[in-house]
């Protein structure tokens, strides 16, 4: 059902890159409110085209209509949230230190800092969120919000949807500088664009293998550029004995719902569940897994990857199937669950501490806190880590969370990692291999920071300062002036 | 006069790394006020040992006493400024979004985000600031402030001073977790430490060649880590015809003072001066350069690098000496100045757009704004760019600054780039090769951000939250709560 991806012709890519480069300065100069209007216009256009886009997405991704409708709503919500942020203005991170002739280290000049866009950004779309992490997804929204032109490398999993979405976005950006947004297709095209000196940052969501290769490529350029990859995550969940006693069955069902949601094709899918030995939940877990309807995966390549990961997992001595996954005749996949102990896990890290993308997970039983903590310490970087504990088990949950904090970007208590709220406090990131840049998030308000760099003006006269840095705070944005946050104008000084 | 550097023994390095790793969690858990006390104690100890440290620095760096005394004052000022920042608390970047069951995208959990330290940081000291960018310099101060243990790779240019400073720092940190700070010596030791999985970030100030090699090494690890290198910068200065008319002689003297300061061994040394053709300042420039006393450079290797860069520069057809630099019999160096045109500059970018570390600079004459803008567009990344313009030349200065902003981290009007104020609005960074991370600064309050990563807690009960995220704001720090900045406690909610 999926259309064909063709490599963008090199002359076309050259035009796209030249236009993006020439759009960079006018887009950067656009007042934040005007950029907000552009984002709102993209959101409105996507909403208005939902009836055309959702069926296309359904056909190319095999995801159900309700999920896709919700995902499109999330995508346009996100665009509007960045628009709100642009109007509020604190993202500009304005700091003004007025001149201080009596500074202890000697006379200090007038210094005014704000952030400015990095320049054209190459965004690699993901397959598993054909709206929210694709053409008009979070990376595109945050790069455009930052004032960076976007070259969008389409994911081959949904080429027709990508083209149609790009048309909607391009039309909605009719008032933006020419070159603000363009689509590019094909693996080689993506690599060529990433190596082009006019591209100033990359963003990617996908596998560790592909993401690391692109990250290395970005780092190999004569001018290396920031590359924000969201790669692989196991999203381990830890359950204490008290939590099993208090609500073991609820936890078992919650876990199965979470790891099978969307056929297990979420970057936040819990791929490991740690249960105390003798937990008594095996039957409940097995029943819950068997109760999940088989579902089509995003595409054949993804399904092949899943079955090959499963094969490697099942081959590890000490790993036993609780419920064997199966690929039906029509290609749909029913979920699987495996079991092993902490010593088996630790002895087979290369296989068992690797993400398996799809509806399968591993239940690991532990003997006491030493094994629990050893397993936590063995983890690589993750987007999330989850703890279920009883209220009288803070002595376990406390040190466990402290350990997990070294290995995850989001710590969830008594819940599940799937479902990433689009919210200012959200952090969707984590140490490698969860991301290639542990300082940054790809979801939430602060995602914009990835595409902004500071610039400081020293002793510049008013008329040479960009508007956010002038004495007269005509944008009414919050600014840190001589150590105090204020939205007021600066009173005239003798500079 | 310089002592000998020896490679730290590998067993010693192993102990240093193990101790740094074991210090990471206790140091992270230390309340910011306690970390502030540690920084203050280091500052006090350095001040108290000035009489011993400054003469050592003089002997090993050839820099004059007054400069070194001032530099030590800057170093301890910097430590105290980070201490102030720790007590104020906004560096924690706390964002709290309370639960919202009626959120348009579905019920939203309680989300609370703050930043936490990355873990042990490997700091490579620089030669040209034996205090401010060395053992207890800005990188060490900001990493410790962030709560990261520091392994300091000493610069071979001042080994005795490095050891003595490290002793002072270590003694001052007696109350800190064991492993908070240690010195390591030798090139191979530095490389081995950078590749060690216990090191979670690197910081470096030095040459493009060395910095790029280390940055690539950090990126080549199984777990790549953030590497903050401050490498090379030309710091071009542009002078308009009106500025020449209004104060040409003052500009000529200011420029010569700036590029010869500290024997031209500043990362902000102006290495290019653009003057309109027919500027008539050649004699004045030559006289000013001849008036500068010869000075000893930091060491023989630096001097050899300088003379070899000079050779390459002087060999370019079209580059003429205005004043030839000279190495005196006693090894001291008298400054040099060269001249060429914009077409020569653009035809020889590989040689002429490279930093030449030492007391030499290049005057480039331009014909009209087209050449001026073409030269600005040809620049790679710089720490600074400077414009001198007359008040009636905004039509030139405006577009010029707009272009320069793409290529520099700090834009100076009618001043000089040397002298980097330690101030919240300072940005000491810029696009590659000025730095390996254009989003960050190595001077000023925001330097701390390099060593912090966000973590989000979802639905965690009060007693499992770190103190900055609890309802009761016992640290009294500013927090963004449901979109509003406040230092108040959260009123009890039903979570």
């Amino acid at each position: 059902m999926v259309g064909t991806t063709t490599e963008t012709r090199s002359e076309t890519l050259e035009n796209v890159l030249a236009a993006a480069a020439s759009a960079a300065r006018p887009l950067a100069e656009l007042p934040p409110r005007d950029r907000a209007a552009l984002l709102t216009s993209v959101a409105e256009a996507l909403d208005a085209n939902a009836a055309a886009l959702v069926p296309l997405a359904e056909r190319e991704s095999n995801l159900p209509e309700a999920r896709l409708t919700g995902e499109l709503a999330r995508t346009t919500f996100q665009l509007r949230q960045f628009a709100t942020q642009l109007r509020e203005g604190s993202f500009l991170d304005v700091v003004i230190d007025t001149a201080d002739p009596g500074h202890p280290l000697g006379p200090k000049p007038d210094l005014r800092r704000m952030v400015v866009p990095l320049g054209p950004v190459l965004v690699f779309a993901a397959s598993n969120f054909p709206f929210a992490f694709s053409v008009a997804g979070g990376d595109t929204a945050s790069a455009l919000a930052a004032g960076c032109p976007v070259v969008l490398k389409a994911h081959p999993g949904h080429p027709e949807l990508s083209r149609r979405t790009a048309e909607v976005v391009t039309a909605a950006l009719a008032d933006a500088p020419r070159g603000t947004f363009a689509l590019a297709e094909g693996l080689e095209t993506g690599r060529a664009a990433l190596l082009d000196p006019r591209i100033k940052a990359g963003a990617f969501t996908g596998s560790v293998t592909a993401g690391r290769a692109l990250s290395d490529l970005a780092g190999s350029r004569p001018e290396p550029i920031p590359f924000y990859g969201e790669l692989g995550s196991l999203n381990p969940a830890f359950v204490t004995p008290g939590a099993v006693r208090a609500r073991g069955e609820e936890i078992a069902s919650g876990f199965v719902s979470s790891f099978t949601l969307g056929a297990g094709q979420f970057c936040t899918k819990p791929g490991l569940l740690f249960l105390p030995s003798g937990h008594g939940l095996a039957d409940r877990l097995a029943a819950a897994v068997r109760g999940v309807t088989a579902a089509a995966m995003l595409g054949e390549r993804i399904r092949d990857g899943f079955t090959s990961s499963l094969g490697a997992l099942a081959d590890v001595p000490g790993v036993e199937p609780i419920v064997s996954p199966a690929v039906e005749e029509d290609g749909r996949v029913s979920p699987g669950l495996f079991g092993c102990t902490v010593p088996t896990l630790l002895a087979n890290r290369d296989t068992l501490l690797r993400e398996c993308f799809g509806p399968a997970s591993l239940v690991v039983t532990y003997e006491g806190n030493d094994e629990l903590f050893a397993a936590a310490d063995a983890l690589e970087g993750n987007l999330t880590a989850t703890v279920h504990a009883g209220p009288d088990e803070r002595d376990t949950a406390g040190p466990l969370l402290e350990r997990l904090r070294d290995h995850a970007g989001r710590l969830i208590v008594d819940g599940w990692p799937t479902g990433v709220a689009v919210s200012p406090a959200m952090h969707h990131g984590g140490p490698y291999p969860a991301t290639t840049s542990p300082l940054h998030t790809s979801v939430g308000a602060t995602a914009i920071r990835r595409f902004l760099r500071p610039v400081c003006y020293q002793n510049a006269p008013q008329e040479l300062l960009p508007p956010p840095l002038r004495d007269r705070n005509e944008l009414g944005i919050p600014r840190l002036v001589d150590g105090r946050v204020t939205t007021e104008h600066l009173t005239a000084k003798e500079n």
Side-chain angles (χ1 to χ4, degrees), chain A:
Chain A
M1 285 301 202
V2 178
T4 317
T5 292
T6 47
E7 292 281 343
T8 298
R9 294 190 321 149
S10 60
E11 308 89 287
T12 310
L13 179 63
E14 171 55 34
N15 291 341
V16 161
L17 292 168
S22 71
R25 217 168 280 155
L27 191 61
E29 295 305 318
L30 222 53
R33 275 159 212 270
D34 293 359
R35 287 211 300 272
L38 293 176
L39 295 181
T40 307
S41 136
V42 172
E44 282 166 5
L46 290 169
D47 281 340
N49 283 277
L53 296 171
V54 169
L56 248 180
E58 236 182 305
R59 202 155 71 226
E60 291 193 314
S61 74
N62 294 324
L63 294 169
E65 183 190 351
R67 142 76 195 270
L68 290 166
T69 303
E71 190 187 322
L72 183 57
R74 175 199 175 93
T75 307
T76 60
F77 178 85
Q78 204 158 252
L79 283 156
R80 290 187 177 95
Q81 199 168 70
F82 281 117
T84 304
Q85 201 181 340
L86 289 181
R87 283 186 287 261
E88 189 269 340
S90 59
F91 80 97
L92 285 169
D93 204 11
V94 172
V95 183
I96 298 179
D97 301 339
T98 57
D100 180 2
H103 191 273
L105 297 181
K108 200 177 74 170
D110 180 279
L111 295 169
R112 303 184 181 213
R113 196 191 67 206
M114 62 182 280
V115 291
V116 299
L118 281 179
V121 173
L122 178 65
V123 174
F124 291 84
S127 65
N128 61 339
F129 281 89
F131 292 119
F133 287 81
S134 190
V135 176
D139 287 339
T140 298
S142 50
L144 289 177
C148 298
V150 168
V151 177
L152 191 293
K153 193 276 183 185
H155 195 282
H158 46 270
E160 290 297 341
L161 175 67
S162 300
R163 287 174 205 139
R164 186 72 197 102
T165 309
E167 284 166 17
V168 171
V169 172
T170 306
L173 291 174
D175 292 340
R178 205 187 71 85
T180 294
F181 178 87
L183 195 77
E185 292 184 51
L187 184 63
E188 284 314 312
T189 303
R191 291 174 53 94
L194 189 58
L195 289 173
D196 191 279
R198 289 164 290 194
I199 290 295
K200 297 300 182 189
F204 169 91
T205 306
S207 73
V208 175
T209 310
R212 178 66 188 258
L214 291 172
S215 176
D216 288 348
L217 203 61
S220 76
R221 297 166 35 127
E223 178 197 8
I225 50 171
F227 185 84
Y228 305 103
E230 192 217 303
L231 315 184
S233 182
L234 282 167
N235 307 299
F238 295 79
V239 186
T240 63
V244 172
R245 282 192 300 274
R247 47 198 166 81
E249 304 223 324
E250 185 196 321
I251 288 171
S253 336
F255 166 67
V256 173
S257 297
S258 184
F259 92 77
T260 60
L261 191 71
Q265 300 167 122
F266 286 112
C267 41
T268 52
K269 178 200 85 172
L272 286 173
L273 180 72
F274 290 90
L275 287 174
S277 68
H279 53 76
L281 293 173
D283 290 349
R284 177 72 183 205
L285 285 164
V289 174
R290 288 199 188 93
V292 176
T293 317
M297 294 189 71
L298 290 161
E300 277 178 41
R301 274 185 51 194
I302 302 265
R303 194 182 62 214
D304 292 349
F306 174 62
T307 51
S308 117
S309 299
L310 278 181
L313 184 79
D315 280 352
V316 172
V319 171
E320 304 294 340
I322 297 171
V323 175
S324 290
V327 179
E328 321 260 311
E329 275 182 25
D330 61 3
R332 288 179 308 141
V333 174
S334 62
L337 190 61
F338 296 83
C340 76
T341 62
V342 166
T344 298
L345 182 79
L346 297 183
N348 297 279
R349 297 177 196 210
D350 286 351
T351 316
L352 302 182
L353 290 180
R354 288 285 167 275
E355 185 180 11
C356 166
F357 192 78
S361 194
L362 182 62
V363 173
V364 185
T365 50
Y366 65 88
E367 303 278 352
N369 280 359
D370 285 356
E371 279 198 3
L372 193 66
F373 294 159
D377 287 341
L379 293 167
E380 295 193 328
N382 283 280
L383 293 168
T384 72
T386 297
V387 172
H388 287 264
D392 55 343
E393 291 176 310
R394 298 312 184 208
D395 289 354
T396 300
L400 182 58
L401 276 173
E402 213 175 85
R403 287 177 149 80
L404 291 174
R405 197 169 83 170
D406 289 346
H407 306 283
R410 179 161 54 110
L411 299 169
I412 299 142
V413 178
D414 297 347
W416 298 104
T418 41
V420 180
V422 179
S423 182
M426 174 50 66
H427 181 63
H428 189 61
Y432 188 88
T435 75
T436 55
S437 180
L439 276 65
H440 294 99
T441 177
S442 62
V443 176
T446 50
I448 196 174
R449 293 185 188 167
R450 296 176 295 168
F451 306 113
L452 295 164
R453 67 180 179 88
V455 170
C456 174
Y457 286 77
Q458 177 170 326
N459 281 349
Q462 292 297 307
E463 63 275 27
L464 289 180
L465 284 169
L469 298 184
R470 292 182 191 155
D471 286 352
R472 197 177 153 69
N473 185 6
E474 63 185 37
L475 301 174
I477 59 177
R479 311 193 292 184
L480 184 68
V481 179
D482 291 333
R484 196 175 64 88
V485 177
T486 169
T487 54
E488 284 164 29
H489 305 307
L490 249 81
T491 45
K493 298 201 29 154
E494 51 203 354
N495 62 349

